[in-house]
Amino acid sequence: MAVAKQNILPYTPVLIKLLKGPVEYLEKSAWEQLMQYQVELTRFLQQLGLVLVLEKDDGYAYLEQLRLDEEDNVAGWIRRIQLGYDESILLVLLRDMMAEFEVGEAGARELIKKRREIKEYAELFFKENPSRVKFIRDLDRLIDKVEELDFIEKVEPADLSDEEKFRIKKIIKAKVDHEILENFKNQLTQYAAGRI
């Protein structure tokens, strides 16, 4: 039995996208739909135990699950990603790059970095493996994993892997907030001073 088209909610396409992951302003059609139906979508999502988090200035939106009870149980709509230690560190480093970018690059909207630049920045914080080749390969794998998790996006392929360009997505600000960033920097400072 076919469902009448008029019974489908007008914001269904953007709702489905949000259930799969963040929506960015670069996805023009979905973003426009999100702006147009923001109020209706917010009401509908609340009935499902979800909250629409919309960062208009940074151009991204995502869903969070409401706590259903005192034990922090949630409806289970959104897939949770378990990050390893190295992925977490790289995300914090990328977030730090984003913070520096936002202070210094007033004219640019997006942070674009070459794979080489990300690796050079990350090398300062990861313990180098005795085998330099393996260490670089591990960093490459880590960058690929963060791309797979959709925190960065390849915007320009290149003949040399190190020259590939990536856009660091602003959703990283929601996942690694200012407090996490400051705690990490304090730990690094203490570590460098030999206090940990």
Side-chain angles (χ1 to χ4, degrees):
M1 186 170 105
V3 177
K5 195 171 181 179
Q6 63 266 26
N7 292 338
I8 297 173
L9 297 168
Y11 48 80
T12 296
V14 74
L15 170 63
I16 292 168
K17 273 187 144 319
L18 281 164
L19 287 170
K20 292 179 180 177
V23 171
E24 295 182 284
Y25 78 99
L26 294 170
E27 303 168 71
K28 298 260 187 272
S29 173
W31 189 254
E32 286 169 9
Q33 206 171 54
L34 184 58
M35 295 299 105
Q36 182 179 355
Y37 294 107
Q38 178 186 348
V39 174
E40 296 92 331
L41 189 55
T42 299
R43 278 195 206 117
F44 180 77
L45 287 166
Q46 284 174 340
Q47 295 172 47
L48 301 176
L50 296 168
V51 176
L52 174 65
V53 179
L54 179 58
E55 296 291 341
K56 289 181 184 177
D57 290 344
D58 285 328
Y60 66 85
Y62 64 98
L63 299 178
E64 282 187 350
Q65 301 183 98
L66 285 172
R67 284 179 34 206
L68 299 177
D69 53 34
E70 297 302 316
E71 283 85 48
D72 284 343
N73 288 319
V74 291
W77 283 100
I78 301 169
R79 178 177 64 103
R80 286 220 174 277
I81 300 169
Q82 192 66 32
L83 295 174
Y85 176 76
D86 289 345
E87 287 102 349
S88 298
I89 295 233
L90 185 56
L91 283 182
V92 171
L93 294 174
L94 291 170
R95 175 63 178 92
D96 192 41
M97 290 173 100
M98 177 71 71
E100 288 177 15
F101 167 76
E102 290 182 335
V103 169
E105 296 288 327
R109 171 124 176 149
E110 298 294 335
L111 173 57
I112 309 289
K113 290 285 181 187
K114 291 181 180 179
R115 180 183 290 265
R116 171 181 45 81
E117 294 171 314
I118 296 172
K119 284 177 5 186
E120 286 168 0
Y121 197 76
E123 277 185 77
L124 304 172
F125 300 95
F126 285 99
K127 186 177 177 193
E128 188 167 333
N129 187 299
S131 163
R132 175 86 181 145
V133 173
K134 184 179 182 324
F135 177 66
I136 296 301
R137 218 174 28 237
D138 289 346
L139 279 179
D140 276 324
R141 257 196 304 273
L142 197 53
I143 291 168
D144 292 341
K145 178 67 175 170
V146 170
E147 180 187 13
E148 186 182 306
L149 292 170
D150 212 24
F151 289 106
I152 61 175
E153 173 185 43
K154 196 177 295 168
V155 292
E156 196 176 300
D159 292 337
L160 290 173
S161 169
D162 273 358
E163 296 303 308
E164 292 173 333
K165 289 185 180 176
F166 293 90
R167 178 174 67 90
I168 299 169
K169 296 184 172 188
K170 294 198 179 204
I171 187 67
I172 206 165
K173 291 167 69 174
K175 303 302 177 188
V176 182
D177 65 20
H178 188 70
E179 186 179 336
I180 293 171
L181 191 56
E182 287 307 307
N183 287 342
F184 178 75
K185 284 182 173 179
N186 289 338
Q187 286 179 6
L188 284 177
T189 304
Q190 290 174 6
Y191 180 78
R195 280 183 253 153
I196 289 181

